[in-house]
């Protein structure tokens, strides 16, 4: 077996111990004589798995009792439409902050639904390289949407904005469960699992009870939050195996890493190591995000030219450092260092970057 250090932006690296457990249990889960993939989602065994996944998530994130946790399908992209459909009555103003491609896509989808959107801040003027400060949210907005981590541009909200009481709605797809956060200001958070907590196929939504009170009748059943909140996310067949994998990753965060505070400290240390390497390179590597807005999940950087970047990526791959190419829309390089990317992977990358700079600088 030969595994690489995987810096993919998502789907992304999973903890080796989790993959090994999934492998070992593949043909016979807990003496059931079948895989989790093969069992009824209504049976006792799977219902137990689903309950454990929710309990582990609630415990790790300290989710308050007045929030529901939903396990959905359709990716974060389905949420771009579900949020305005469920949370805003006709004519109600909704605030959006535009910090990159995914925010832009969320805005587009709300516009398709004819929602009166106010883009209250945008970092488009400087190619989405920063997180806007001092935002004037509308007092009458029914929610304010942000993208907590911008996977493509490598920026992240280090502190969430004060909306003056307007419920925050956050796309946390690329930093969910990478650090603790206070749920209080949030009406809803959502995230695809495939970066920090599992394989693709399941989307997490944490939604406050009063927001569920807004959900109108007459929505398509699969886009309606109350369909799932009233049925413990078991309205129709859920992505059972993906949810099981999520449960194992959550257990790994709790038992092996030691909880979310430790996870956050480790993620900070990994990011510091790479940004330190970039900043000490004398300009050989150039971080693309403004320092105060740097992401601890996606470290984006450029080299002096595309030819040199190509060589960097090829040599990195030959050295077992995989998937460092920047998003196709922006080019350059990106090291995604989600929860399951260990310090040893980051160390190997930093050493390679130093050696490459020395040889080519
Ligand atoms: C911040 C963010 N939002 C949304 C998406 C889209 O997610 P999905 O493919 O799960 O719909 C991505 C995908 O990378 C993302 O990084």
């Amino acid at each position: 077996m030969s595994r690489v250090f995987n810096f993919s932006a998502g789907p992304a690296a999973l903890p080796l111990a989790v993959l090994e457990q999934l492998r070992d249990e593949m043909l016979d889960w807990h003496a059931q004589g079948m895989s989790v993939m093969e069992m009824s989602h209504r049976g006792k065994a799977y219902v137990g798995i689903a309950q454990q996944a929710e309990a582990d998530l609630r415990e790790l994130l300290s989710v308050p009792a007045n929030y529901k946790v939903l396990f959905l399908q359709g990716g974060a992209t389905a949420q771009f439409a579900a949020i305005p459909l469920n949370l805003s009555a006709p004519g109600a103003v909704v605030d959006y902050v535009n910090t990159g491609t995914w925010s832009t896509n969320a805005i587009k989808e709300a516009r398709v639904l004819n929602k009166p959107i106010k883009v209250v801040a945008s970092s488009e003027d400087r190619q989405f390289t920063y997180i806007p400060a001092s935002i004037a949210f509308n007092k009458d907005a029914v929610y304010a949407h942000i993208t907590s981590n911008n996977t493509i541009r490598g920026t992240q909200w280090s502190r969430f904005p004060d909306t003056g009481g307007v419920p925050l709605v956050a796309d946390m797809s690329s930093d969910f469960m990478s650090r603790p956060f206070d749920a209080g200001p949030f009406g809803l958070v959502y995230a695809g699992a495939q970066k920090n907590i599992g394989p693709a196929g399941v989307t997490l939504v944490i939604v406050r009870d009063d927001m569920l009170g807004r959900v109108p009748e007459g929505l398509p059943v699969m886009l309606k939050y109350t369909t799932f909140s009233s049925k413990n996310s078991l309205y129709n067949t859920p992505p059972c195996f993906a949810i099981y994998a999520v449960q194992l990753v959550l257990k790994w965060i709790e038992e092996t890493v030691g909880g979310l505070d430790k996870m956050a400290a480790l993620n900070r240390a990994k990011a510091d190591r790479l940004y330190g390497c970039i900043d000490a390179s004398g300009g050989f590597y150039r971080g693309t995000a403004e320092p105060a807005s740097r992401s601890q999940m996606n470290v984006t950087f450029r080299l002096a030219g595309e030819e040199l970047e190509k060589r960097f990526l090829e040599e990195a791959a030959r050295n077992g450092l995989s998937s460092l190419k920047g998003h196709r829309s922006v080019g350059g390089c990106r090291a995604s260092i989600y929860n399951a990317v260990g310090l040893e992977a980051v160390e190997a990358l930093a050493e390679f970057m130093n050696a490459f700079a020395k040889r080519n600088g």
Side-chain angles (χ1 to χ4, degrees):
M1 182 185 71
S2 155
R3 286 178 57 81
V4 292
F5 289 128
N6 179 2
F7 299 95
S8 171
L14 286 165
L16 183 58
V18 168
L19 293 172
E20 286 171 340
Q21 184 171 344
L22 291 169
R23 177 199 60 196
D24 293 347
E25 298 170 339
M26 184 59 75
L27 303 184
D28 182 8
W29 184 84
H30 293 210
Q32 297 289 303
M34 62 176 82
S35 155
V36 173
M37 276 187 264
E38 301 170 294
M39 53 180 68
S40 165
H41 63 292
R42 306 277 175 210
K44 205 167 146 218
Y46 177 73
V47 170
I49 288 172
Q51 285 169 346
Q52 193 62 50
E54 177 176 344
D56 290 350
L57 191 144
R58 282 186 170 277
E59 171 151 358
L60 271 169
L61 270 179
S62 306
V63 177
N66 61 328
Y67 287 76
K68 297 278 184 297
V69 176
L70 312 179
F71 293 80
L72 308 179
Q73 299 188 65
T77 305
Q79 294 309 309
F80 295 163
I83 287 159
L85 281 172
N86 282 270
L87 304 187
S88 76
V93 171
V94 290
D95 282 359
Y96 278 74
V97 179
N98 191 1
T99 50
T101 304
W102 300 113
S103 314
T104 306
N105 287 358
I107 291 167
K108 273 191 204 150
E109 203 69 347
R111 285 214 169 107
V112 165
L113 297 165
N114 281 325
K115 297 293 174 186
I117 288 188
K118 298 246 167 76
V119 178
V120 286
S122 167
S123 50
E124 195 169 6
D125 57 341
R126 298 204 298 276
Q127 287 81 46
F128 297 118
T129 53
Y130 69 102
I131 298 293
S134 327
I135 301 167
F137 290 94
N138 290 297
K139 278 197 260 322
D140 53 349
V142 292
Y143 66 78
H145 182 280
I146 61 167
T147 310
S148 63
N149 183 76
N150 298 282
T151 326
I152 296 175
R153 301 286 179 167
T155 63
Q156 184 178 26
W157 296 79
S158 54
R159 269 188 303 131
F160 294 114
D162 180 0
T163 59
V166 174
L168 264 175
V169 169
D171 176 358
M172 292 196 180
S173 286
S174 50
D175 63 357
F176 188 60
M177 311 278 312
S178 69
R179 56 180 177 176
F181 68 95
D182 169 22
F186 291 91
L188 185 148
V189 307
Y190 63 105
Q194 67 270 22
K195 298 170 197 297
N196 272 308
I197 57 162
V202 57
T203 311
L204 279 302
V205 168
I206 303 176
V207 56
R208 210 166 58 201
D209 287 342
D210 60 300
M211 308 298 276
L212 289 174
R214 298 179 181 184
V215 176
E217 285 305 320
L219 292 185
V221 74
M222 287 303 287
L223 285 175
K224 189 176 178 183
Y225 291 133
T226 45
T227 303
F228 295 89
S229 62
S230 64
K231 295 268 194 282
N232 293 322
S233 302
L234 275 165
Y235 171 74
N236 69 332
T237 316
C240 306
F241 192 69
I243 291 171
Y244 179 51
V246 165
Q247 194 263 312
L248 294 186
V249 174
L250 297 177
K251 186 164 72 97
W252 172 84
I253 296 175
E254 182 64 51
E255 292 178 3
T256 306
V257 179
L260 217 47
D261 286 325
K262 292 235 169 80
M263 190 79 260
L266 187 58
N267 285 330
R268 210 172 310 117
K270 287 168 0 193
D272 285 351
R273 179 72 176 101
L274 289 188
Y275 288 119
C277 168
I278 288 168
D279 292 342
S281 72
F284 185 84
Y285 300 108
R286 189 173 45 79
T288 60
E290 294 187 9
S293 301
R294 283 173 163 175
S295 165
Q296 293 188 359
M297 297 279 101
N298 310 99
V299 177
T300 50
F301 55 97
R302 308 270 348 197
L303 282 72
E306 284 183 17
E307 202 42 53
L308 191 59
E309 284 173 348
K310 193 161 164 266
R311 223 166 56 233
F312 172 83
L313 294 169
E314 282 167 2
E315 273 189 40
R318 277 204 298 280
N319 283 274
L321 303 161
S322 167
S323 311
L324 286 162
K325 200 170 188 315
H327 190 268
R328 62 190 181 282
S329 62
V330 294
C333 304
R334 168 175 59 176
S336 297
I337 47 173
Y338 301 125
N339 287 347
V341 177
L343 205 47
E344 69 289 356
V346 168
E347 198 51 52
L349 174 58
E351 277 172 23
F352 171 78
M353 286 171 73
N354 287 337
F356 186 87
K358 216 180 223 168
R359 277 198 308 278
N360 295 280

